[in-house]
Amino acid sequence: MTFEMFLQHLANGISLGSLYALIAIGYTMVYGILRLINFAHGDIFMMATYFAFFGIMTFEMPWYISFIIAIILTGILGIGVERIAYKPLRTSPKISILISAIGVSYLLENLCIVLFNGKPKPFPTPNVFADMVRIGNISIQRLTFIIPVVTIILLVLLSYLVNNTKSGMAMRAVSKDQETAQLMGVDVNNTISFTFGIGSMLAAIGGLMWSLKFPQIQPLMGVMPGLKCFIAAVIGGIGNIKGAVIGGFLLGIGEILLVAFLQSLTGYRDAFAFILLILILLFKPTGIMGEKIAEKV
Amino acid sequence: MNKKFKLSNNMKLNILLLLILTVIIIIAQENLDEYKLRILNLCAIYTILGLSLNLINGFTGLFSLGHAGFMAIGAYTTALLTMPIAVKEKNFFMVPLISPLDKIVWPFLPSLLLGGALAAIVAFLIGAPVLRLKGDYLAIATLGFSEIIRVIFTNTQRLTNGALGLKDIPNKTNLYWSFGIAILTLIIIVSLINSSYGRALKAIREDEIAAENMGINLFKHKILAFTMGAFFAGIGGGLLGNLIGTIDPLMFRFFLTYNILLIIVLGGMGSITGTIVSSFIITISMEVLRFLDERINLGFVTIKGIPGLRMVIFSLLLMVVILFFRNGLMGAKELTWEVVLKRFSKKPLSKGGIQQ
């Protein structure tokens, strides 16, 4: 393998990794605040691509307007899901909320199958993203560079939001201790809705980037990426935004390099994430950046 | 004296129920059409699966999502061992099956048992490192393992025929097998739960740290529940494979685990009778709702069938159950003879015998 090819794979890995990171941040935010594996996250991500698809194809909007509308609609969808499916269960055992999340995931998938039928649809890729860029001897799609940049910009915005604004402070307070936060005058319900909205919008951006990179959308497309991004979040230490980014990059780059260097193992691509997850959990049970959780007696 | 009487009374009723059930099964097996038989078989198989997952999740409090993987092990083992040699050759037309397996044909029962045993062995090996994890981490790790098993099965073409799956598996599963094993599973799991082991498992579920301080060996009990659950999952998978007649790796995605999880949640985590009742309810309602996918003719108007609507309604029902009946049908309670008989007679069963 030549050095150029290695660079090409690396660039691919970085762009896939930043996609994973983007979606993993959404997971991690929701988990950090509600301690809930939001199994519907992958399906929310899928819904965003359908919103954008119909915006472009049916309503003939320019892609950027359609994308913005899709992101906003997805945010609203996320808040709606939280209000309907998670809020009533906030005090019940964890497994009920988890089942509810699975129920939402089922519902969104099947609703999509009924409404838009299960056949994969080609996602329109604007030329801005699809054009090839040549560097020396290698040519790389422009999208490969755009995705990491988008991730970095969003990450900076997000850490500003979490660390330097009032809503961010409320989010941190709620994630530490809901009851105490409430006593201190934090509107817990609004904060949770806000977090869900932001998390879903991140999922939407991730989903749009995903469907630009793999331009085919179908109702079950969110399942595997959703699971992998959750794994990325766990690997990095769930609840930790930096951790999610590290986990995402580790997973994306690792996966691409595995396929590139050990081609006989290509079939095991989807297992790679799980193997990495289990190895890391065994040595660091709370993930790379995770804090040690004290056991309460 | 009273207690002894009550116990034997329960026993008598149990045996009576078992006899009635046997008669019903014999009549059903001989008279019902294939479709109805299949649904009944599925009910029994889901009962086995539900009970085994409930042992892990409901009674021990280990949040495991690995059932589909264990089922896959059982299903593939049973299918590969029971298939006649000619069918094996027909299935493995791309690459031949590895050498000793292509000549072996076993009877159904030993194949099932081996399937269960292999699932249990894998569970033991997985459990040793993974059961240190707790809550969500355990859930995601077990989910990961079941996916790894599936990916391995997709790629080991010489053993499992890869993504093509296995076809024409002999339909050995009938009501005698499925209900027989379901009843056996029930007896084994109930006696485990009522033993000192069972009390230890429940103690672990309620509070791990307190249980450990009381001298319960956490690891030993957790791995016992996990391995036993996996054993029955393997057997359930074997029955399922030989009932449907065709298996492929995609069948054993985590959706399958979710379905079983739904059964135990609907029935009530930690309720044996609840699991049985909800296995039947869910399996049958999945079939009953099938009309939604088909064309409905109301005489004056024909509603065009919408493929997939069934699953939409199903997931909506699931949401309603979770949102409004949080503890499932039974919670952690059991449907006992006392409860049933009290429903029918206002008098106490035997004077002072029941109310304690």
Side-chain angles (χ1 to χ4, degrees):
Chain A
M1 180 174 295
T2 57
F3 185 62
E4 272 116 17
M5 269 179 81
F6 173 74
L7 280 186
Q8 191 144 16
H9 287 308
L10 194 65
N12 255 329
I14 290 172
S15 85
L16 184 66
S18 38
L19 265 180
Y20 283 160
L22 204 55
I23 305 162
I25 297 170
Y27 258 119
T28 246
M29 285 178 74
V30 168
Y31 189 92
I33 207 158
L34 274 187
R35 306 280 140 191
L36 154 75
I37 306 178
N38 185 12
F39 270 109
H41 203 71
D43 302 293
I44 287 173
F45 150 119
M46 173 271 297
M47 290 300 283
T49 67
Y50 271 95
F51 290 145
F53 175 84
F54 285 112
I56 296 173
M57 302 304 280
T58 314
F59 299 104
E60 291 174 352
M61 287 188 263
W63 64 269
Y64 41 91
I65 294 179
S66 168
F67 277 21
I68 291 169
I69 292 176
I71 292 165
I72 293 169
L73 283 179
T74 316
I76 296 170
L77 175 74
I79 294 171
V81 164
E82 196 274 327
R83 279 281 151 91
I84 295 166
Y86 303 149
K87 195 179 165 196
L89 295 172
R90 225 170 266 165
T91 51
S92 45
K94 218 174 199 174
I95 190 151
S96 316
I97 311 183
L98 199 94
I99 301 278
S100 187
I102 292 172
V104 171
S105 157
Y106 258 32
L107 187 63
L108 288 179
E109 282 160 19
N110 291 302
L111 213 57
C112 265
I113 293 177
V114 167
L115 293 178
F116 319 132
N117 86 41
K119 279 188 211 123
K121 289 182 168 52
F123 194 80
T125 310
N127 286 339
V128 194
F129 299 107
D131 287 347
M132 296 306 242
V133 183
R134 284 190 70 84
I135 304 168
N137 282 331
I138 51 174
S139 59
I140 296 174
Q141 215 181 21
R142 199 180 280 161
L143 186 69
T144 314
F145 299 106
I146 294 176
I147 294 174
V149 171
V150 169
T151 303
I152 291 166
I153 292 173
L154 287 173
L155 187 67
V156 170
L157 284 178
L158 197 67
S159 30
Y160 178 78
L161 174 81
V162 171
N163 294 319
N164 301 29
T165 62
K166 222 166 177 187
S167 343
M169 196 149 74
M171 278 159 76
R172 282 180 288 148
V174 173
S175 81
K176 278 270 184 256
D177 189 334
Q178 258 183 46
E179 278 165 24
T180 315
Q182 197 154 25
L183 290 175
M184 296 294 161
V186 176
D187 189 334
V188 172
N189 284 333
N190 274 348
T191 309
I192 291 177
S193 292
F194 182 68
T195 314
F196 254 86
I198 299 280
S200 307
M201 281 157 88
L202 288 170
I205 298 172
L208 295 174
M209 296 284 149
W210 185 279
S211 42
L212 290 172
K213 192 171 165 68
F214 308 102
Q216 204 180 48
I217 59 173
Q218 45 113 345
L220 295 179
M221 66 182 277
V223 176
M224 216 40 193
L227 214 55
K228 279 188 189 163
C229 294
F230 177 71
I231 289 172
V234 175
I235 286 176
I238 197 150
N240 184 315
I241 289 177
K242 265 183 235 142
V245 176
I246 294 173
F249 276 108
L250 206 63
L251 204 61
I253 297 172
E255 202 179 295
I256 293 284
L257 293 187
L258 175 89
V259 177
F261 285 108
L262 303 164
Q263 295 200 335
S264 57
L265 292 180
T266 308
Y268 291 94
R269 184 178 178 164
D270 282 347
F272 172 75
F274 294 103
I275 293 169
L276 190 66
L277 167 83
I278 288 162
L279 285 179
I280 285 185
L281 282 185
L282 289 181
F283 293 109
K284 250 188 142 286
T286 47
I288 295 173
M289 301 283 283
E291 301 149 31
K292 220 174 155 53
I293 305 161
E295 282 181 13
K296 280 181 198 162
V297 181
Chain B
M1 185 59 193
N2 262 341
K3 194 152 193 193
K4 218 169 192 179
F5 170 69
K6 195 186 94 191
L7 232 159
S8 65
N9 204 2
N10 262 348
M11 248 348 199
K12 271 184 220 157
L13 286 167
N14 280 341
I15 292 166
L16 185 71
L17 184 72
L18 210 60
L19 284 176
I20 296 172
L21 195 65
T22 315
V23 174
I24 293 175
I25 289 170
I26 292 171
I27 295 171
Q29 179 68 44
E30 302 308 322
N31 294 310
L32 288 182
D33 61 64
E34 211 158 293
Y35 176 62
K36 285 184 184 123
L37 277 180
R38 188 167 170 159
I39 296 173
L40 276 179
N41 272 313
L42 278 177
C43 289
I45 293 171
Y46 274 110
T47 306
I48 300 171
L49 295 168
L51 286 173
S52 62
L53 191 65
N54 212 347
L55 176 68
I56 304 175
N57 285 16
F59 286 98
T60 321
L62 299 172
F63 199 172
S64 161
L65 293 177
H67 241 49
F70 302 133
M71 285 171 67
I73 296 175
Y76 270 95
T77 313
T78 314
L80 282 172
L81 287 173
T82 48
M83 268 186 180
I85 292 168
V87 178
K88 279 181 186 168
E89 274 165 12
K90 211 174 80 189
N91 262 304
F92 289 82
F93 63 92
M94 303 265 281
V95 280
L97 184 60
I98 49 167
S99 99
L101 262 175
D102 58 353
K103 295 282 180 288
I104 302 174
V105 180
W106 280 18
F108 192 41
L109 186 62
S111 317
L112 267 183
L113 288 176
L114 187 66
L118 283 179
I121 291 169
V122 171
F124 184 81
L125 295 176
I126 290 173
V130 165
L131 288 178
R132 288 194 302 146
L133 302 169
K134 285 189 187 120
D136 295 340
Y137 290 101
L138 179 66
I140 205 77
T142 44
L143 182 76
F145 264 118
S146 89
E147 278 294 292
I148 291 172
I149 291 171
R150 193 176 67 79
V151 172
I152 290 174
F153 278 14
T154 318
N155 286 289
T156 47
Q157 239 190 341
R158 297 203 59 190
L159 184 65
T160 60
N161 209 15
L164 295 171
L166 300 172
K167 290 180 188 67
D168 294 326
I169 304 167
N171 300 104
K172 303 260 186 189
T173 307
N174 55 27
L175 288 185
Y176 307 128
W177 281 117
S178 56
F179 274 85
I181 293 175
I183 290 166
L184 216 60
T185 311
L186 178 68
I187 293 170
I188 293 172
I189 287 183
V190 166
S191 38
L192 177 81
I193 283 165
N194 292 333
S195 71
S196 65
Y197 281 105
R199 285 191 290 276
L201 297 184
K202 283 181 202 159
I204 292 172
R205 172 186 69 188
E206 296 306 330
D207 192 331
E208 218 167 82
I209 297 165
E212 197 173 19
N213 287 339
M214 298 301 285
I216 292 171
N217 183 343
L218 285 187
F219 181 74
K220 185 179 119 189
H221 287 90
K222 281 182 178 179
I223 201 123
L224 173 84
F226 194 61
T227 315
M228 251 185 87
F231 175 76
F232 288 115
I235 289 193
L239 286 169
L240 190 67
N242 280 47
L243 173 72
I244 297 174
T246 140
I247 50 176
D248 64 83
L250 275 184
M251 220 176 106
F252 298 100
R253 284 201 293 189
F254 44 86
F255 290 112
L256 192 59
T257 310
Y258 289 174
N259 280 338
I260 305 163
L261 199 61
L262 300 184
I263 289 178
I264 63 174
V265 169
L266 178 72
M269 301 281 282
S271 169
I272 296 278
T273 34
T275 306
I276 300 171
V277 172
S278 78
S279 305
F280 278 75
I281 291 178
I282 287 198
T283 315
I284 292 173
S285 59
M286 284 288 268
E287 288 304 320
V288 170
L289 289 176
R290 210 173 271 282
F291 78 89
L292 291 169
D293 284 1
E294 282 147 20
R295 185 186 289 268
I296 306 168
N297 195 351
L298 293 176
F300 54 95
V301 60
T302 311
I303 301 166
K304 215 170 73 184
I306 308 165
L309 190 61
R310 175 176 73 115
M311 288 308 292
V312 174
I313 304 287
F314 186 76
S315 37
L316 276 176
L317 285 178
L318 175 81
M319 298 289 303
V320 169
V321 170
I322 281 297
L323 290 175
F324 300 107
F325 308 94
R326 274 171 224 181
N327 293 323
L329 296 172
M330 308 282 298
K333 290 191 215 87
E334 295 291 352
L335 192 66
T336 53
W337 285 117
E338 281 96 68
V339 178
V340 176
L341 293 177
K342 238 190 238 165
R343 269 282 154 91
F344 292 113
S345 63
K346 292 245 164 69
K347 287 178 285 182
L349 246 189
S350 55
K351 284 163 206 160
I354 324 152
Q355 268 97 19
Q356 284 163 350

